[in-house]
Amino acid sequence: MSVFDALKGQKQALPILTMAAKAAANDASESQEMTHAWLFTGFGREKAALLFAASLLCKSEGCADCSDCKTALAGSHGDLELVKTDGLSIKIDDVRELVQRASWSPSTSNYRVVILESAERLTDSAANALLKAIEEPGLRTVWILCAPSAADVIPTIRSRVRTLAFVAPAQLPTTTSDEILRLPFEIKDIAGAFMAAAKIVELAKSGAESVAETLNDEELKKAKEAWGQQGSKLTAGGSKAIKELEKGQKSRQTRMVHDTLDTILLDIAVKYRDQLVGVASDSEKLKIIAKIDAVMDARARLARNAAPLLTMEALMVSLR
Ligand SMILES: [Zn+2]
């Protein structure tokens, strides 16, 4: 068994991560395969970060069975720093503290792993404070930043990390349906723009819901087993843990909606770009470029946690 079993569908990322884990275990920390600063993007990036962390903290490259693996996957390993953010931004003071803690030597494992979720919420000054740390992280420290897409972190960060994109499992539509892609091009009036926005958000929500429900049920079942539920009674610690779990599931579902919308927006942008090829007049070209800009702007707003429906409505009105 291996922690990487959970990443079977990730055809691009999986071989890179397994080779990195192998190189790290053989202490080839300066090798090509292993690097000390990563950016994970796309679907399930936070889970993937935990799995990779487990493979680095485990004594046998992520057996999924030892206590290093188990505590790493639960986010509670002593040499793992898991940073989640409830706030709208990650500020410079938070990062300074984090950089300091990241430089501590690992206590039981070979590495100290820092997972920074929602790296898209780093303020510019916070991102700058992070630069030096991820450029020269120290031999025993590994940084894994997570963000919806590489475009969501500033270029100076992007150029110092190895980026891995994770794709949605088969149940989520990985390509946007033609029906959805046609919508922005068929808008005739404001009412039509609002309808198109509603339809796209609805699709993203229902897709995320169906996937989330399956995951949620499975996790709840396991958590209840772990806390030894008998009948409808849970121990005191158990109910608190279940509440925490449910809270995490809710925010994951929100993220999934955002991720799906992000994919749709990228596909729409590509469609406009394709249109550019057949256009001769400069003024027509400029119009299309303005539309691509509007789509990218909507992505940026969603990444900053803007309300999906409002964002899509504003976009569809400007694409009209
Ligand atoms: Zn293990």
Side-chain angles (χ1 to χ4, degrees):
M1 230 174 50
S2 154
V3 287
F4 291 125
D5 291 350
L7 293 175
K8 247 182 217 146
Q10 306 292 338
K11 294 209 165 53
Q12 280 189 315
L14 182 57
I16 296 174
L17 288 179
T18 42
M19 284 197 303
K22 195 173 251 7
N26 294 324
D27 210 21
S29 35
E30 295 301 315
S31 75
Q32 292 250 301
E33 283 79 20
M34 181 55 189
T35 184
H36 289 255
W38 299 78
L39 173 63
F40 284 12
T41 66
F43 182 89
R45 54 192 174 267
E46 283 114 358
K47 177 84 188 165
L50 283 176
L51 292 164
F52 184 43
S55 78
L56 297 173
L57 297 169
C58 169
K59 307 284 186 294
S60 38
E61 294 167 38
C63 64
D65 212 32
C66 70
S67 70
D68 282 325
C69 281
K70 283 182 178 157
T71 50
L73 293 176
S76 58
H77 193 289
D79 289 327
L80 172 68
E81 182 92 35
L82 175 60
V83 186
K84 293 175 179 283
T85 307
D86 286 332
L88 284 178
S89 61
I90 305 175
K91 304 210 166 59
I92 185 162
D93 289 341
D94 308 330
V95 168
R96 283 196 181 126
E97 262 176 50
L98 182 62
V99 166
Q100 196 161 32
R101 287 201 301 275
S103 66
W104 295 347
S105 309
S107 55
T108 57
S109 292
N110 282 331
Y111 291 95
R112 185 160 181 83
V113 181
V114 185
I115 299 177
L116 181 60
E117 294 188 354
S118 313
E120 73 277 13
R121 296 191 203 164
L122 285 165
T123 61
D124 284 354
S125 57
N128 283 321
L130 191 61
L131 282 182
K132 207 175 148 54
I134 57 172
E135 196 165 39
E136 298 159 12
L139 268 182
R140 295 284 155 217
T141 303
V142 178
W143 287 85
I144 310 172
L145 313 185
C146 302
S149 74
D152 295 317
V153 299
I154 58 173
T156 39
I157 293 254
R158 219 148 61 211
S159 63
R160 286 166 172 83
V161 293
R162 186 179 300 176
T163 302
L164 278 189
F166 294 85
V167 295
Q171 18 339 8
L172 266 188
T174 41
T175 50
T176 311
S177 73
D178 285 344
E179 190 201 345
I180 291 291
L181 273 186
R182 269 200 307 275
L183 284 173
F185 298 87
E186 289 170 348
I187 298 170
K188 295 199 178 63
D189 48 25
I190 299 266
F194 281 84
M195 265 164 60
K199 203 160 181 187
I200 292 175
V201 173
E202 177 59 40
L203 174 110
K205 280 196 171 152
S206 62
E209 235 163 62
S210 65
V211 177
E213 265 167 25
T214 322
L215 292 171
N216 293 354
D217 290 350
E218 191 76 0
E219 287 167 354
L220 275 177
K221 206 177 114 210
K222 277 192 187 149
K224 283 178 179 165
E225 274 169 22
W227 282 97
Q229 182 178 35
Q230 304 198 321
S232 62
K233 283 220 158 108
L234 271 175
T235 53
S239 6
K240 191 166 167 258
I242 298 284
K243 263 202 198 106
E244 282 292 305
L245 177 63
E246 284 172 338
K247 208 173 123 199
Q249 290 176 334
K250 221 178 229 165
S251 64
R252 174 177 62 197
Q253 193 163 330
T254 310
R255 276 201 307 277
M256 282 163 78
V257 174
H258 279 233
D259 287 356
T260 311
L261 282 176
D262 195 57
T263 310
I264 293 173
L265 288 176
L266 276 178
D267 286 339
I268 291 175
V270 168
K271 201 150 180 203
Y272 278 118
R273 197 197 57 200
D274 291 348
Q275 264 195 345
L276 267 182
V277 182
V279 175
S281 102
D282 279 346
S283 67
E284 275 303 304
K285 267 191 186 152
L286 284 176
K287 269 188 204 158
I288 296 177
I289 290 171
K291 287 181 175 175
I292 297 178
D293 279 345
V295 174
M296 290 306 171
D297 191 48
R299 289 187 62 228
R301 265 179 283 151
L302 281 178
R304 290 196 299 267
N305 251 353
L309 187 57
L310 283 178
T311 310
M312 294 306 281
E313 282 174 353
L315 173 65
M316 291 303 142
V317 168
S318 69
L319 292 182
R320 174 172 53 114

